[in-house]
Amino acid sequence: MKKQFLSMMTTSVLGGIISVGIYSTVIEPESKTEIKRFDQPVSLTKYEASPARTDYTVPEGMNFVNAAEKSTPAVVHIKTYLNPSSSRTPRNTPRLFHEFFGDPRAEGGQLGSGSGVILSADGYIATNNHVIDGADKIEVVLEDKHTFKATLVGTDPTTDLALLKVEYEDTLPYLNFGNSDEIKIGEWVLAVGNPYELTSTVTAGIVSAKARNIGILRSKTGLSVESFIQTDAAVNPGNSGGALVDLNGNLIGINSAIASKTGSFTGYSFAIPSELVKKVMDDLRNYGAVQRALIGVQIAEVNQEIADEAGLDKIAGVAIMGVTPQGAAEGAGIQEGDIITKINSEDVNTVSELQEYIARKRPGDVVDVTVNRNGKDKVFNVKLKNTQNTTDIVSAPKNTAEAIEALNAEVQPLSEKKAAQLGINGGLEVTTIAPNSKLAKAGLKEGFIILYVDREPITSIDDLGNALRGKRGGILLEGMYPSGEREYVGIGL
């Protein structure tokens, strides 16, 4: 037993000696080497830049970069405000527009927001009428965050367009007009907006359809023009009034609406074609009002039944359901039952196409209208007329002073004391009416208090100027006398 114990002790001692020897000759030198290595300064890895992508080329027709770089500086953010003291209520816009340009119930007097497109270096800006409709103040925010108060030059509810102007000491970036007639279904386009002051946002899509009528514009006159470019480029709230551009960065449309049940993009967006935008902007800039040309007919789409009765080779064209007495069409010899198939040798397939084409003309312009009558084509030279059935150019007041001057009367805000006595929130008192003026001919007398113009509440001079500016034709004045007698009169501007 004792020998066995001594044998185990001897083995353990020898094992320890061998282990120490191995550690001293092998492990310990390696450990010292490692410690010595980490005592030296650490050298960081040097990262090399990726080589230029000389072997990469953008596929033909797919280069969005140039168009985006060209268009984004020319798209602005627009904010509109309602005077907190104003009795005016936010407008009632169609569902397709509602969340597209902002929430009109926003606090702090802000009425809504949207986008706009700079059209010239001196500060003319296109946007949608529904973006600025009812606003007391309009602000424009550039992509670089510069903010300006904008002047409303004019509006055209029938096309949902408006023209603004900002004053800037330097030149502004702007977009050139492209030709919306030349774009093709399936062509790539970019939608550029400036929502929520996030600077310009760009999305891409293709042209899905042209000359789309989606039934969203409202018009007291029944003259609304809907001939939208439909795309699948993602457009969301705040993009209304922004640009639709081709891959050359040219403006081919103003984004106006989306097809959505939720207010967010779900597949389709709609833009006003640039050829129509260009004409409306020129009219607003030069005359303060759109020079609307009319053929003077009531029209409908051609269906299978109409095509069969007329002996048409295809279901296309526009059927004339009625002719306006003394209108342009009647004067040229066009009759009820004719089918319009061409305008100036251009095929007309739908009501939207015809409306857009004529909306791009002015009263006095002459167009060749080809109709199918009893199976035969006839061509008529039609001299277009305006809404008053003349060929005159109609100018509208361009500012508040001109607008009020058109009434040929003097007005002043109703005093708070008088307003309280009459139980009203305010209005404008007519203090002087010129003899033979429009108000005098309408039978109004001095002391009349203007409360509404075309059902828009009037509580200040600015309210009256905004309500009259850009108006042409007839307007409806509503108000009362201090006696409490109510009066409703229509006058022409």
Side-chain angles (χ1 to χ4, degrees):
M1 188 69 169
K2 186 175 181 180
K3 289 181 179 180
Q4 185 178 3
F5 176 75
L6 289 174
S7 175
M8 291 175 62
M9 288 294 291
T10 301
T11 302
S12 298
V13 171
L14 289 174
I17 293 171
I18 293 171
S19 297
V20 172
I22 293 173
Y23 179 82
S24 300
T25 58
V26 180
I27 298 177
E28 184 177 11
E30 288 186 2
S31 296
K32 288 180 180 179
T33 302
E34 288 296 321
I35 293 172
K36 184 177 181 181
R37 184 180 301 153
F38 281 98
D39 282 344
Q40 295 176 347
V42 178
S43 177
L44 297 177
T45 303
K46 182 179 180 181
Y47 292 98
E48 298 292 339
S50 298
R53 296 185 297 174
T54 55
D55 60 335
Y56 177 78
T57 57
V58 178
E60 184 179 356
M62 292 287 289
N63 190 346
F64 305 150
V65 177
N66 292 336
E69 289 178 345
K70 185 176 180 180
S71 57
T72 50
V75 177
V76 301
H77 178 64
I78 293 175
K79 295 191 289 188
T80 60
Y81 297 88
L82 186 66
N83 189 330
S85 63
S86 174
S87 62
R88 200 182 317 169
T89 56
R91 65 262 175 175
N92 181 23
T93 52
R95 173 70 181 177
L96 284 173
F97 286 151
H98 182 62
E99 294 184 16
F100 191 47
F101 68 95
D103 187 354
R105 298 165 295 179
E107 297 180 0
Q110 185 165 348
L111 182 63
S113 64
S115 300
V117 181
I118 304 175
L119 301 179
S120 65
D122 58 348
Y124 283 96
I125 297 171
T127 188
N128 287 137
N129 176 65
H130 73 261
V131 169
I132 54 82
D133 185 29
D136 291 318
K137 185 176 76 170
I138 304 170
E139 284 185 349
V140 168
V141 185
L142 303 184
E143 192 190 30
D144 63 6
K145 301 299 183 181
H146 277 91
T147 302
F148 304 90
K149 182 179 179 180
T151 300
L152 179 61
V153 177
T155 66
D156 181 31
T158 66
T159 56
D160 190 33
L161 288 169
L163 181 63
L164 309 177
K165 179 71 164 66
V166 296
E167 300 299 332
Y168 188 44
E169 66 275 8
D170 202 354
T171 57
L172 291 168
Y174 63 94
L175 287 183
N176 291 319
F177 277 101
N179 190 337
S180 54
D181 290 343
E182 295 179 354
I183 63 170
K184 306 295 183 183
I185 295 174
E187 181 177 336
W188 280 102
V189 290
L190 300 183
V192 187
N194 198 319
Y196 313 125
E197 297 182 78
L198 295 176
T199 69
S200 293
T201 300
V202 180
T203 56
I206 62 169
V207 175
S208 306
K210 296 175 66 177
R212 274 286 196 245
N213 186 326
I214 55 177
I216 60 172
L217 297 182
R218 298 171 178 172
S219 173
K220 296 177 183 178
T221 61
L223 298 177
S224 295
V225 179
E226 288 192 29
S227 186
F228 295 116
I229 299 170
Q230 178 182 319
T231 79
D232 65 352
V235 175
N236 281 298
N239 285 271
S240 190
L244 188 71
V245 301
D246 60 21
L247 294 193
N248 293 319
N250 295 321
L251 182 68
I252 58 169
I254 296 293
N255 294 317
S256 186
I258 54 177
S260 172
K261 295 180 180 180
T262 64
S264 297
F265 178 74
T266 56
Y268 298 116
S269 56
F270 301 90
I272 304 163
S274 61
E275 289 299 294
L276 180 57
V277 174
K278 187 193 307 181
K279 189 266 181 180
V280 171
M281 295 298 103
D282 285 346
D283 281 355
L284 294 178
R285 183 173 180 174
N286 296 325
Y287 309 109
V290 173
Q291 306 304 309
R292 188 66 184 273
L294 302 174
I295 293 183
V297 292
Q298 293 80 53
I299 54 181
E301 299 279 355
V302 171
N303 55 26
Q304 181 71 62
E305 182 180 356
I306 293 175
D308 290 342
E309 290 180 359
L312 299 178
D313 295 332
K314 60 180 180 178
I315 303 175
V318 175
I320 298 177
M321 311 304 289
V323 179
T324 304
Q326 300 180 347
E330 183 184 70
I334 293 176
Q335 302 174 2
E336 181 179 337
D338 289 345
I339 309 295
I340 298 176
T341 58
K342 295 179 185 290
I343 297 285
N344 286 345
S345 300
E346 296 281 341
D347 288 339
V348 174
N349 296 308
T350 65
V351 167
S352 295
E353 288 180 352
L354 177 62
Q355 287 179 329
E356 181 193 344
Y357 193 93
I358 297 301
R360 284 152 46 177
K361 301 296 182 180
R362 294 186 175 91
D365 288 348
V366 177
V367 295
D368 291 334
V369 180
T370 302
V371 304
N372 182 291
R373 180 184 294 174
N374 300 324
K376 296 181 179 181
D377 285 344
K378 290 180 174 290
V379 181
F380 297 91
N381 298 113
V382 180
K383 190 173 186 178
L384 303 175
K385 295 185 176 182
N386 59 27
T387 54
Q388 281 78 47
N389 236 2
T390 72
T391 57
D392 297 337
I393 294 295
V394 181
S395 295
K398 295 182 180 180
N399 54 50
T400 297
E402 284 187 17
I404 296 176
E405 186 179 349
L407 293 178
N408 209 1
E410 294 181 6
V411 297
Q412 68 180 21
L414 189 67
S415 69
E416 293 184 3
K417 182 178 179 180
K418 282 187 178 181
Q421 290 173 345
L422 295 171
I424 57 180
N425 293 325
L428 289 183
E429 184 178 9
V430 180
T431 58
T432 304
I433 298 178
N436 298 319
S437 68
K438 293 178 173 62
L439 295 185
K441 291 179 179 178
L444 291 181
K445 300 178 177 61
E446 294 175 359
F448 179 72
I449 301 165
I450 301 173
L451 299 177
Y452 298 91
V453 173
D454 283 344
R455 304 194 183 281
E456 288 286 337
I458 305 298
T459 60
S460 67
I461 298 292
D462 285 341
D463 282 349
L464 181 60
N466 289 334
L468 295 176
R469 188 168 62 245
K471 294 284 187 179
R472 62 193 191 283
I475 61 169
L476 176 66
L477 291 180
E478 302 177 51
M480 63 185 299
Y481 289 97
S483 64
E485 178 187 357
R486 292 272 176 171
E487 190 79 52
Y488 303 83
V489 298
I491 65 170
L493 290 179

